[in-house]
Each structure stands twice: as structure tokens, then as C-alpha cells.
Amino acid sequence: MKKLFAALVGILALCLLLAFGDYALNRQTSQAGRRTVTIYNWGDYVDPALITKFEKQTGYHVDYETFDSNESMLTKIRQGGTNYDLVIPSEYTVQRMKREDLVAPLDHRKLPNLRYIDRQFLNRSFDPGNHYSVPYFWGTLGIIYNDEQVNGRDVQHWSQLWNPRLKDNVMLIDSARDVFAMALITHGDSVNTTNYSQLKRAQRHLKRLTPNVKAIIADEMKMYMEQGEAAVGVTYSGDAREMMDINHHLHYVVPSEGSNIWFDNMVIPKAARNKAAAYQFINFMLEPKNAAENARYVGYATPNWKAKQLLPKKVTADRAFYPPKSTMSHLQPYRDLPLHVLGEYNDLFLEFKMFAK
């Protein structure tokens, strides 16, 4: 009987020990979680040195994950499971996340450095009052050309891409919204049109471009343009900057008649576990010296007016990457269109791609 009693005491002691160990482990994990901020961003879209600086300055550990499209990011946020504290979506995706109640409203009192954002980048149509988003970087859709193969004066406007002298010499980005944008703009239509007749007219115009189309591609355009495989490409300002750094015969222009302007933004998902850390990171990235360092590393245009003053004049004076107000007034951000309209864009674009082959 004593042996049985001793065994029971031993089992009870073991259970208590295991329970205490489990409690201590959970407490330790919980404390570690409170000192971690989980960020979901585009690949290579922040200076790693700034991550290290933030960790040293705040004591937080940064768990950094990347995505390659707004759509894949949105799918993961909807599914849940991983609670991101900070996400960097584009403007139309901010609209969609607001509509689906996936983002938390921001307390501007916790973001004193918001005062460094240029007013022209605040209160945009996709988030009036910036109740849910803070500008991170911005850029444009434009034309990159090789001065060894074409005269720059001949590729300043979208309509010039239809010039027969550019036969088999134009590369297009593989994106329905972007390719239709340049065709819609040449007809004076909105890049956000939901009018099917306008989309069909744009498609007919694009079909007349097909003799000039060398390829419709994605990231490969950077390699081809750097190697001089085509005279002209339609691409994004950030990608153009990378190409120009490799091949100094390349130049980038934003057509003055209009184009797409895009904005990537910092938002806090509604399911975030560490909103306090997210606020600290946003405010840290808004600090002018940090924003300037990040702009130098990433190569995109900063919306931070104070950070812009810290950048080299040769960068900020480049009208291709910091267009004048006369051009800025004609730039249009994409809106989150109804799914059936997006389907029309994609279907018409697919038909054009088949016609272009």
C-alpha cells in the first residue's frame, strides 16, 4: 500500500512538474510574441540595414516575410492562420481590404512622423483621410527606350509606340490593366473605365500595335532591355531604374498626356497581434533619415518630403521619376473594379495576346 501511495505521489509530482513547465514555456512564448513584429512585404522592398537598426533601437525582433503579388498576399490574409502585424499593399488592394474589413483603422496620434508625408500623397481616393493606410513608395507606368536604337523624341507619348518604324521592337509588361491603360489614355478614356465599348475600342487599337510587339513578358523584360534586345519597353519606374543602372543607354519617360500612378502603403491588418509594434515600425520608417536611406536602397520615389530633401539632387531632379506637376495632374491610380469588369479586362487582354503571337 505504501508503494502504491508513493507511486501516486510520484505521478502527481510529475504531472505538476510537466504542468509548470508547460506554463513557463507558454509564458516565455507569449512574452517573445509580444517582442516580435511580423511584416509581410514585397521582396527586396526594404533596406535590411533598417531592419537591424529598428531591432536594436526598439528591442523588437522583426519576422519578415515576402509576397510577389497583391492577390497572393490578399489570399493569405483572408485565410488567416498567420497574424501579420504590418502589410504593404498597393492602392486598389487597400480599397479591397477596407471593403472586406481586413484592415484596422489607424490612430494618427501614434504616428507623429506622418507630418513628413507630402500632402499630394495623402487623402487619395482609395483611402480618404488615410484612415487605414500610410504611403510607403510610389511610382509610375511609362516607356523605357534605348538611345542607340531610337531617338528619344520619337517615344515621348503612348501613340508613338504605334509608329511602323518600331516594328518588332516594343516589349509590353504582361498585365491587362497596364497594357489597356496606355490604349485607353490615347483615346482620352479613364484607366478605370467600366464601359465595355471603351474596352473593345482599346482592344482594337491594341491589335493595330501587334506588328510592333516583340514580346509580352514580366520580369524578363529587365534582362532583355539591359542587353539591348528591343528598342522600347512599357514598364514600371522602379524596374526602369534597375535597367538604367545596368545599361546607361536606357532612359525612362512618363507620357505627359497621362499614365498610371501607383502607391504602396503600410497597413495594419485587423487580425494583427502586435499593433503597438506595428505603429512603432511605421513611425520608424517615416523618420526622414530612414525614409531617405530606404529610398536610396529600393530605388523608388519616396512620398516623404523631408526625406526627398536628403536625397541627391540628381535623383530628385530627374523628371522621369519625380514628374512635374503638369504631368502628375494627368496620372491616374487604379481603382478596385468589380470582379466581372476585371474579368472583361483579362478576357480582352488574353484575346489580344493570342492575336499578337
Side-chain angles (χ1 to χ4, degrees), residues 156-228:
Q156 295 294 307
H157 304 283
W158 295 121
S159 60
Q160 293 175 308
L161 300 185
W162 275 256
N163 190 322
R165 285 182 292 181
L166 289 176
K167 184 178 180 180
D168 196 34
N169 240 329
V170 177
M171 290 190 174
L172 300 179
I173 195 74
D174 191 3
S175 163
R177 294 293 296 270
D178 295 323
V179 171
F180 267 83
M182 65 179 189
L184 288 165
I185 289 169
T186 48
H187 287 112
D189 297 326
S190 168
V191 299
N192 296 298
T193 185
T194 58
N195 186 313
Y196 189 71
S197 63
Q198 291 180 354
L199 290 175
K200 283 295 291 183
R201 182 172 64 176
Q203 187 199 46
R204 289 193 296 270
H205 192 48
L206 286 171
K207 286 181 177 180
R208 290 193 284 271
L209 179 66
T210 54
N212 292 359
V213 177
K214 185 178 185 71
I216 302 174
I217 50 180
D219 288 341
E220 308 95 305
M221 187 187 299
K222 287 188 279 191
M223 178 183 68
Y224 289 133
M225 291 301 299
E226 289 165 3
Q227 295 176 354

Side-chain angles (χ1 to χ4, degrees), residues 35 53-62 280-281 284:
R35 300 305 302 168
K53 181 179 178 181
F54 175 78
E55 290 179 327
K56 289 181 178 178
Q57 188 171 304
T58 65
Y60 284 111
H61 168 70
V62 175
Q280 284 200 45
F281 189 82
F284 173 85

Side-chain angles (χ1 to χ4, degrees), residues 6 42 69 72 86 94 112 127 179 188 201 220 227 231 257 260 332:
W42 300 84
S69 73
S72 62
L86 189 73
V94 173
D127 185 20
V179 171
R201 182 172 64 176
E220 308 95 305
Q227 295 176 354
E257 64 271 20
N260 165 243
Q332 306 173 56

Side-chain angles (χ1 to χ4, degrees), residues 323-343:
K325 288 183 179 180
S326 57
T327 299
M328 290 286 287
S329 64
H330 294 106
L331 301 180
Q332 306 173 56
Y334 293 136
R335 292 201 303 267
D336 181 31
L337 301 178
L339 289 178
H340 76 277
V341 175
L342 291 175

